[in-house]
């Protein structure tokens, strides 16, 4: 392949145009326009595409956003609505969204899902005003599934993140595989008493992670313990409440927990410290999703890394196809496959403790283990 030359004779005076790029690349203006605007149905050889990209780079061509918007009656902007814009879990997701949006010529406008109100027309209004072309939206835990479906009804193109059932198009992860892998990691360490501090029971992710956890438990020949399956939510407060609930329950206590996400797992670690439960010596903790914050937890959190970056990329592609007139699609992003990132919060199980008569909740007395130790089976 021949790369366009950098001779000054090839460079037009002033701002480069599509005509200049087409002339240097040796193709039509329409082909250049479709390639640089990310037309998904353009059929062109890889060599032709590369010539166009090289020519645009040599000429320093940058599309005129205003002219493009006027010509196509589109804003070339995507609204991204998330429950918590500062949540570190969303870092990779946002990066994936921005990287593909930039390649396709879209700007990304970030906002909070709470802007969606039952009697409002937030999505339809912004599209009608020409400010955005469509939305990527993730449901808040506090919003009922059916209410959420009503909120995103209307003419605005929408792709839903991490949820199914809206009939608007969606992109989700293989959450069952992630929870199954987290549980298998604990089983491989020797744990047999494993609890689940799960997410919202009515959410797609919460149900999928519970399914993956139960599949791993069943495959190991262990029985389900309903008291050890908590639908607590995804916040730090939810994680802290859940570990207190497990520690205060009578009878046998778990030696390990699978937690819905890193944020909730931070609450589990804090709650464990406050009740005198040592991690990982007395309790192993593994969280779904990986984030930079897992390295800075104390102890550092073992996690299951999920393809959040790729989820963001695929969501933008789905929305772009919708804007090009394609039908809504539901996609599961399962590559790259989930992987365990082993850190300091998991270890082999402790020796089992049997509570003597009069001992505190879950075998504790004054914050310390009390009772007779027996070999863990």
């Amino acid at each position: 392949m021949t790369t366009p030359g950098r001779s000054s004779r090839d460079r037009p005076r002033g701002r480069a145009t599509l005509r200049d790029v087409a002339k240097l690349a040796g193709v039509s203006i329409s082909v250049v326009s479709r390639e640089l605007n990310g037309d998904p149905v353009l059929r062109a050889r890889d060599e032709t595409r590369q010539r166009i990209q090289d020519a645009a780079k040599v000429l320093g061509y940058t599309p005129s956003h205003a002219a493009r918007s006027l010509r196509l009656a589109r804003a070339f902007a995507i609204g991204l609505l998330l429950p918590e814009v500062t949540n570190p879990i969303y870092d990779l997701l946002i990066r994936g969204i921005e990287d593909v949006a930039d390649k396709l010529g879209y700007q990304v406008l970030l906002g909070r899902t709470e802007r969606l109100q039952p009697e409002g027309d937030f999505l339809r209004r912004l599209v009608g005003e020409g400010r955005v072309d469509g939305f990527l939206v993730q449901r808040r835990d506090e919003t009922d599934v059916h209410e959420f479906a009503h909120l995103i009804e209307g003419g605005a193109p929408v792709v839903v993140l991490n949820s199914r059932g809206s009939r608007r198009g969606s992109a989700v992860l293989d959450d069952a595989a992630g929870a199954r892998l987290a549980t298998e990691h604990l089983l491989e360490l020797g744990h047999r008493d494993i609890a689940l501090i799960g997410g919202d029971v009515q959410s797609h992710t919460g149900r999928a992670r519970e399914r993956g956890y139960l599949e791993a438990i069943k495959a190991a020949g262990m029985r389900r313990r309903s008291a050890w399956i908590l639908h607590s939510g995804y916040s730090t407060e939810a994680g802290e409440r859940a570990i207190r609930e497990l520690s205060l329950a009578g009878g046998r206590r778990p030696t390990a927990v699978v937690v819905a996400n890193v944020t909730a797992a931070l609450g589990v670690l804090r709650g464990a410290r406050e009740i005198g439960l040592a991690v990982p010596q007395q309790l192993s903790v593994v969280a779904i999703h990986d984030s930079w914050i897992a390295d800075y937890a104390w102890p550092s959190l073992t996690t299951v890394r999920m393809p959040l970056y790729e989820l963001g990329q695929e969501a933008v592609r789905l929305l772009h196809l919708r804007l090009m007139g394609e039908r809504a699609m539901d996609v599961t992003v399962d590559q790259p496959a989930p992987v365990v990132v082993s850190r300091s919060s998991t270890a082999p199980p402790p020796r089992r403790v049997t509570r003597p008569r009069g001992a505190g909740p879950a075998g504790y007395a004054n914050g310390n283990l009390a009772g007779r130790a027996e070999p863990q089976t």
Side-chain angles (χ1 to χ4, degrees), residues 224-270:
R224 167 180 176 155
R225 292 175 179 264
S226 298
W228 289 0
I229 300 175
L230 305 181
H231 301 287
S232 308
Y234 300 103
S235 67
T236 52
E237 294 80 9
E240 186 172 358
R241 285 195 304 269
I243 193 60
R244 288 180 179 277
E245 182 177 342
L246 285 173
S247 70
L248 292 172
R252 189 170 179 141
R253 66 175 178 83
T255 62
V257 290
V258 174
V259 188
N261 67 10
V262 171
T263 308
L266 294 177
V268 170
L269 294 181
R270 182 170 65 186

Side-chain angles (χ1 to χ4, degrees), residues 20 66 154 170 235 239 318:
D20 299 324
S170 63
S235 67
L318 286 176

Side-chain angles (χ1 to χ4, degrees), residues 108-144:
V108 178
L109 306 179
L110 182 61
R112 297 189 304 274
T113 312
E114 65 186 38
R115 296 293 299 275
L116 301 177
Q117 297 298 325
E119 303 304 322
D121 60 348
F122 180 70
L123 303 186
R124 186 170 59 253
R125 178 167 52 81
L126 288 186
V127 171
E129 292 173 355
R131 295 162 66 181
V132 297
D133 297 313
F135 292 89
L136 305 175
V137 184
Q138 178 157 325
R139 182 182 70 87
R140 299 172 68 203
D141 292 347
E142 298 84 358
T143 306
D144 177 79

